[in-house]
Amino acid sequence: MAQLQQYLRSRSYTVSEVDAEKNSVTFEGVIRPSLFLAVFLSILATVGILCLILVWSLLFPNWTAAFSLLILLAPTAGIFYWKKAARKERVSLKLEANTGDRISPQSLLTVTAHRDELIQLQRSLNLKPAE
């Protein structure tokens, strides 16, 4: 459990709620947008707008110079992503005692989080999912 809490703190999660009756702890953190994705989306928007300008300039040759100004809209895709992509994530940990097996009593840790966070958690701590 301490290793899991250390992992969550290293990913900038903070404890937001502790429920002693249910043996659960809830962490909250803000997921930042990716600079790579913002640049990538801007590049994709640039390519898309260039294709659109090409088609329109073939259809309307007199307007080619005006259509070329549309390329100035391409960075708005990255800006829109950057402003809207930050989100608050919650990770809940619940410790349950397994009393069914008397030979090797073990505890069961239930982690509730976003799918991507669970995948990263399994990779980092070499955890296995419950059967």
Side-chain angles (χ1 to χ4, degrees):
M1 185 76 140
Q3 184 183 13
L4 190 56
Q5 288 179 342
Q6 178 66 26
Y7 167 79
L8 290 170
R9 285 194 183 110
S10 72
R11 299 214 6 126
S12 300
Y13 282 92
T14 58
V15 176
S16 66
E17 181 181 337
V18 177
D19 190 354
E21 292 177 5
K22 295 181 182 178
N23 288 334
S24 68
V25 178
T26 303
F27 292 86
E28 284 187 355
V30 176
I31 305 300
R32 297 181 316 151
S34 167
L35 180 61
F36 170 76
L37 278 178
V39 172
F40 184 64
L41 287 173
S42 295
I43 291 170
L44 288 178
T46 303
V47 170
I49 290 173
L50 284 173
C51 292
L52 185 65
I53 290 171
L54 177 64
V55 170
W56 283 354
S57 65
L58 291 173
L59 292 173
F60 309 104
N62 296 337
W63 289 81
T64 302
F67 293 147
S68 298
L69 294 176
L70 288 175
I71 201 69
L72 297 175
L73 296 175
T76 59
I79 293 169
F80 181 77
Y81 164 78
W82 190 261
K83 288 186 176 184
K84 301 291 182 179
R87 65 186 189 276
K88 192 178 262 191
E89 288 288 333
R90 294 181 66 131
V91 176
S92 297
L93 306 175
K94 185 175 181 182
L95 188 62
E96 300 171 6
N98 185 4
T99 58
D101 189 8
R102 294 177 190 244
I103 297 171
S104 62
Q106 296 179 349
S107 297
L108 180 66
L109 180 65
T110 304
V111 181
T112 306
H114 189 268
R115 177 182 53 101
D116 295 337
E117 189 64 41
L118 290 175
I119 291 169
Q120 185 64 31
L121 181 67
Q122 283 180 337
R123 285 183 189 158
S124 298
L125 299 179
N126 294 325
L127 299 175
K128 64 175 185 169
E131 290 109 23

